[in-house]
Amino acid sequence: MMRPARFPVSAALLRRLALASIIANVGIVVTGGAVRLTDSGLGCPTWPRCTDESYTATAEMGINGAIEFGNRLLTFAVGLIALATLVAVLLHRSRRRSLLPLAVAVFLGIPAQAVIGGITVLTNLNPWVVGLHFLASMAVIAAAYALWRRTKEPDGPTVAVVPAPLRTLAWLTTLVSVAVLVIGTWVTGSGPHAGDHGAARNGLDPESIAQVHADSVFLLIGLSVALVFAFRAVGATGAARAALVLLAVELGQGLIGFVQYLTHLPALLVGAHMLGSCLVLLATLSVQWSTRERRPAPASATSAGAATDAEAHPVAAAHS
């Protein structure tokens, strides 16, 4: 008996879809920022409908309604890319087991992020919920990045390429990077760009929390400089290169942050700063990935796995 034909999914297609998922999720963070920066956060005043009577924006709602509804539509586009990636993983039999958890996490993260976005509308843009919405997007981006990196690696054991103390330093840098993102949402919640003229602020003093944010950025930059020199000292050129890219992204992001603060937070610079936050996260994850590498499974383990499959499916094995 012949096996039914399967739709072929190449490793290159998997990588492209995973990369597209990263780009799409970064894009929706930027467009979500545009919603807030144009005071369109309540352009659709309810959720999941846009109004009590309609799922779509109406002409009477003006440009703010169109911007908010457009961002909601983009969620479906991001979800379709995540779905296509998930289907591709399911059809790519040799990588299904290793990639499926990450593909499912990215796919389920899209509706979860959308629900949090809906709650921000229902709570009249509560700044703490708005911050959670942003951080949920960061989590989806992290999962999408992990999926993309795994599509470029073989299935096999993970081996460290730097000493244990430097791996610890890399983890500490990652934790501080996450803390910078979290504190950044507090700064945003205390500032003028609330997403709507009537939206509440979180009550924190803008200057004080901005100083805390700046201090955390200085700490992150210091740790990144240490990583560059430490990786170079042990000859880990790939890790040193990743740390240098992270440092460059941090300096660029810091420059945008200081300029926007000194120029009273113009919307265009705030939007650029949101994009920079995504890039900082991606560069941080790249450093984390550079401290280890995954090598192909030993031939004996591969043979044992094949034998196990043959025992579990003797009929299929006989006709393959």
Side-chain angles (χ1 to χ4, degrees), residues 153-185:
E153 298 175 333
D155 287 331
T158 300
V159 179
V161 298
V162 298
L166 296 190
R167 296 199 302 275
T168 301
L169 181 60
W171 275 112
L172 178 60
T173 304
T174 300
L175 291 175
V176 173
S177 182
V178 171
V180 167
L181 293 176
V182 173
I183 298 171
T185 66

Side-chain angles (χ1 to χ4, degrees), residues 30-120:
V30 176
T31 59
V35 170
R36 179 167 57 84
L37 295 169
T38 57
D39 290 327
S40 301
L42 295 177
C44 287
T46 189
W47 187 87
R49 294 174 183 262
C50 189
T51 70
D52 290 334
E53 295 78 25
S54 174
Y55 282 98
T56 63
T58 62
E60 293 77 11
M61 300 171 69
I63 186 64
N64 295 124
I67 292 173
E68 164 65 3
F69 182 68
N71 191 61
R72 292 188 183 190
L73 288 180
L74 286 176
T75 301
F76 289 99
V78 176
L80 285 174
I81 295 173
L83 177 60
T85 307
L86 176 59
V87 171
V89 168
L90 289 171
L91 292 174
H92 198 283
R93 187 171 181 179
S94 64
R95 301 300 307 278
R96 184 188 305 165
R97 181 177 299 178
S98 59
L99 299 180
L100 187 57
L102 288 170
V104 170
V106 174
F107 178 67
L108 294 182
I110 305 301
Q113 188 258 17
V115 168
I116 297 173
I119 295 173
T120 67

Side-chain angles (χ1 to χ4, degrees), residues 287-320:
V287 170
Q288 194 62 56
W289 233 266
S290 72
T291 63
R292 30 72 80 207
E293 65 180 23
R294 194 178 295 272
R295 297 174 180 173
S300 58
T302 304
S303 301
T308 301
D309 288 342
E311 292 172 4
H313 306 284
V315 176
H319 292 86
S320 59

Side-chain angles (χ1 to χ4, degrees), residues 163-226:
L166 296 190
R167 296 199 302 275
T168 301
L169 181 60
W171 275 112
L172 178 60
T173 304
T174 300
L175 291 175
V176 173
S177 182
V178 171
V180 167
L181 293 176
V182 173
I183 298 171
T185 66
W186 302 347
V187 176
T188 299
S190 68
H193 297 293
D196 185 81
H197 293 298
R201 302 284 72 206
N202 61 21
L204 299 175
D205 178 63
E207 290 191 8
S208 297
I209 195 61
Q211 184 61 57
V212 172
H213 183 56
D215 291 342
S216 66
V217 170
F218 287 137
L219 174 59
L220 179 60
I221 290 174
L223 290 170
S224 300
V225 170

